[in-house]
């Protein structure tokens, strides 16, 4: 199976090694991509496990799994990222389809090192819509207004 983060690599050698626990991400960007893949695959326990301790709530795993199962994750787009030894930022756009329509989750996430491992700290959400003339996130090759934006 191809990895859901969009790398084109097999899941097992990309995000799967982090989600399944055989390795830990050495870069915040890799953690962010693996968290997207975890959303796409309904792996809420991984998302909880990779959140800083002060924001970690075990009950969230079931809610995340339910949300993921009711959504079709279409595409991840990295807007920008920066990282130093202990802090990082990744701005991304995640496209998904739910019962209503295709939606866009645009976030600037912060990551910190906690006990030597990268962890998700918090996210700033942007109010964003998919532009009518943008390529449709479903992958059809058509403009959004001529495809899923109808």
């Amino acid at each position: 199976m191809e990895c859901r983060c969009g790398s084109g690599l097999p899941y097992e050698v990309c995000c799967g090694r982090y989600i399944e626990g055989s390795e830990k991400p050495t870069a915040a960007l890799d953690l962010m991509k693996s968290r997207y893949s975890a959303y796409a695959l309904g792996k809420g326990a991984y998302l909880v496990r990779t959140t800083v301790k002060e924001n970690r709530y075990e009950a969230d795993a079931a809610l995340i799994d339910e949300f993921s199962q009711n959504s079709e994750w279409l595409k991840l787009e990295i807007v920008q990222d920066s990282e130093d030894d202990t802090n990082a930022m990744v701005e991304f756009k995640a496209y998904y389809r739910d019962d209503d329509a295709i939606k866009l989750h645009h976030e600037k996430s912060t990551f910190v090192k906690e006990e030597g491992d990268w962890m998700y700290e918090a996210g700033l959400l942007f109010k964003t819509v998919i532009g009518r003339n943008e390529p449709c996130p479903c992958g059809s090759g058509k403009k959004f207004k001529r495809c899923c934006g109808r």
Side-chain angles (χ1 to χ4, degrees), residues 81-137:
D81 70 291
S82 62
E83 182 176 313
D84 63 27
D85 291 341
T86 57
N87 296 283
M89 179 281 303
V90 179
E91 182 180 345
F92 67 93
K93 293 179 180 180
Y95 298 85
Y96 66 97
R97 182 190 328 260
D98 66 8
D99 292 337
D100 299 327
I102 292 181
K103 297 188 178 166
L104 169 58
H105 178 96
H106 184 181
E107 180 177 321
K108 186 180 281 189
S109 298
T110 55
F111 298 85
V112 295
K113 278 212 175 163
E114 191 173 77
E115 298 174 9
D117 296 326
W118 283 110
M119 296 287 172
Y120 171 80
E121 181 179 40
L124 171 65
L125 292 176
F126 295 92
K127 184 175 175 123
T128 310
V129 296
I130 302 169
R132 293 174 34 83
N133 290 319
E134 289 183 42
C136 192

Side-chain angles (χ1 to χ4, degrees), residues 19 35 37-49 57-73:
I19 294 169
R35 287 175 59 86
S37 292
Y39 266 107
L41 297 169
K43 304 277 189 171
Y46 177 74
L47 293 158
V48 170
R49 186 171 67 247
Y57 304 99
E58 298 299 327
D60 286 351
L63 296 171
I64 292 166
D65 289 347
E66 182 181 343
F67 175 69
S68 295
Q69 290 165 5
N70 293 317
S71 304
E72 177 188 1
W73 295 86

Side-chain angles (χ1 to χ4, degrees), residues 8-67:
L9 298 171
Y11 172 75
E12 300 80 24
V13 298
C14 193
C15 295
R17 59 193 169 142
Y18 307 131
I19 294 169
E20 305 306 326
S22 63
E23 293 181 39
K24 292 183 178 181
T26 57
L29 181 58
D30 291 335
L31 175 61
M32 192 271 127
K33 289 179 179 181
S34 68
R35 287 175 59 86
Y36 171 84
S37 292
Y39 266 107
L41 297 169
K43 304 277 189 171
Y46 177 74
L47 293 158
V48 170
R49 186 171 67 247
T50 57
T51 300
V52 292
K53 288 180 184 174
E54 66 190 50
N55 297 337
R56 192 178 301 165
Y57 304 99
E58 298 299 327
D60 286 351
L63 296 171
I64 292 166
D65 289 347
E66 182 181 343
F67 175 69

